[in-house]
Amino acid sequence: MNALRIPFDKFSKENRVVFFSGAGISAESGISTFRDPDGYWAKYDPMKLASPEGFQQNPKLVLRWYAERAKVARKTKPNLGHHAITNFQKLFSRSMVITQNVDSLHARAGNEPVLELHGNIHRQKCFKCGDLMNPEQKIEATLSYCNCGGMFRPDVVWFGENLPRRILLEAYQASIDCQIFFSIGTSTQIYPAAQLPFEAQNHGAFVIEINPEPTPFSNQADVSFRAPAGEVLPKLYEEFHAALA
Ligand code: OAD
C-alpha cells in the first residue's frame, strides 16, 4: 500500500469527509456484489428482479429473492472496512457515509450519519401509495397489502426509478462540500450515484478510491488502492490517525 501519495499535511481533523460505498465494502462480510464475475447480475436478470415491471409481472418471485437477500444480510456482520470507518469518524467529526448498499451494515457498525441512496432491504413500502409498512409488521417472503390496496414491495430503488430526492440532494451537497472523499467498493457505473466522486473532485476534494479492480473513475482518482476495503481502510486509518491526531 502506498499511502505516501496522500498529502497528510494538507488535511486536518476539521475537514469534511465523505465515505461513499458500494457493494464491494460488504463483500468481505459475505454479501454478493452485482457486477463481479460471480455477482448477482451474472446469475439473475436485473429487469426481472429489480425493476417495477419485473415486480408487476411476478411479485412473488421478487419478494422471495429480496427476502432471501435480507436473511443473508441479517446473518452477516460488519467487517474491518466498516469498523475502520467508525474509527475514522471519531477522528473526523464532520464526516458521513453515503452508500448504495441496502444491507444496513454501515449502521450496524456504528457509522453515522448514513445516507442510503438506494433504500434499505429491511423495509417495505406500498407499490401504489408509497406509504411505509409498519416497522412492527414482520416482512414475509409472501405478498402483503397496504390499507390502500396496493402491494407492499422492498423499499429499494429499482432500475428506471428515481433516487429519493432529499437524500440525493443531501449526498450531492456533502460531496461538493467535502475536502476528502473515499470511493469504496463501487464499480462507479450506476448513475446518478456514480457522479458523486467526479463532483467531489471537480469541487476540490482529494478523492481516494479503494477497489481491487479498476473503474471508470480510477484514472482520475487522486490515489487509487487496488486491494480489498477490509485491508486498505484499517491501514489508512492508522496513517491518518498518526498524521492528524
Ligand atoms: P457493483 O457490483 O457494480 O460493484 C462492486 C465493486 O466492488 C466492483 O468494482 C468490485 O471490483 C469491488 N469489490 C469487490 N470486492 C471488494 C472488496 N473486498 N473491497 C473493495 N471493493 C471490492 O456494485 P455497486 O457499485 O454498489 O443497485 O453497484 C451499484 C448499484 O448497482 C447497486 O446499488 C445496485 C446495482 O444494480 C440496484 O439494485 C438498483
Side-chain angles (χ1 to χ4, degrees):
M1 196 176 90
N2 187 359
L4 294 175
R5 286 172 295 152
I6 297 177
F8 292 109
D9 55 325
K10 289 210 175 104
F11 301 133
S12 81
K13 287 194 282 183
E14 281 66 48
N15 285 158
R16 291 196 180 89
V17 181
V18 166
F19 298 91
F20 172 59
S21 71
I25 198 170
S26 296
E28 288 156 89
S29 292
I31 296 182
S32 179
T33 61
F34 295 94
R35 285 172 193 77
D36 287 307
D38 57 349
Y40 283 126
W41 300 152
K43 291 179 235 155
Y44 305 110
D45 179 354
M47 284 328 199
K48 288 203 174 123
L49 294 170
S51 78
E53 295 77 17
F55 181 69
Q56 276 169 311
Q57 266 164 29
N58 196 342
K60 287 181 184 164
L61 174 79
V62 173
L63 288 172
R64 270 204 306 276
W65 189 63
Y66 277 92
E68 190 50 41
R69 282 180 57 198
K71 198 165 121 193
V72 171
R74 270 194 302 274
K75 279 191 188 152
T76 56
K77 292 197 178 90
N79 63 54
L80 293 175
H82 299 99
H83 292 307
I85 294 177
T86 311
N87 287 332
F88 263 117
Q89 291 204 280
K90 289 179 193 144
L91 186 62
F92 293 112
S93 57
R94 302 204 297 174
S95 62
M96 69 158 69
V97 171
I98 301 174
T99 190
Q100 298 162 88
N101 299 344
V102 296
D103 54 30
S104 287
L105 288 182
H106 281 295
R108 283 173 54 201
N111 302 165
E112 208 260 314
V114 180
L115 294 182
E116 294 178 320
L117 294 175
H118 291 169
N120 190 300
I121 203 169
H122 303 296
R123 282 194 311 259
Q124 288 203 343
K125 67 178 179 187
C126 176
F127 190 72
K128 199 163 147 198
C129 72
D131 276 2
L132 285 179
M133 183 192 264
N134 180 344
E136 316 265 285
Q137 196 174 331
K138 193 163 178 278
I139 297 179
E140 306 283 357
T142 50
L143 264 176
S144 57
Y145 293 88
C146 175
N147 290 336
C148 79
M151 295 181 279
F152 278 116
R153 54 161 278 183
D155 186 12
V156 299
V157 176
W158 282 331
F159 290 101
E161 294 187 316
N162 291 326
L163 273 62
R165 193 176 144 73
R166 188 190 56 77
I167 292 176
L168 181 59
L169 283 177
E170 214 179 311
Y172 179 79
Q173 195 63 46
S175 302
I176 65 174
D177 282 348
C178 71
Q179 286 77 45
I180 310 173
F181 186 102
F182 290 84
S183 185
I184 311 159
T186 175
S187 59
T188 326
Q189 289 186 35
I190 298 299
Y191 284 76
Q195 189 67 31
L196 296 177
F198 293 95
E199 293 291 348
Q201 196 180 45
N202 289 342
H203 287 82
F206 188 84
V207 184
I208 301 170
E209 182 180 66
I210 303 168
N211 195 319
E213 302 296 330
T215 77
F217 182 72
S218 300
N219 283 341
Q220 206 173 312
D222 292 289
V223 179
S224 190
F225 293 101
R226 293 277 163 79
E231 273 176 33
V232 177
L233 279 168
K235 287 186 193 153
L236 276 185
Y237 166 71
E238 292 303 331
E239 301 273 353
F240 270 94
H241 186 265
L244 306 183

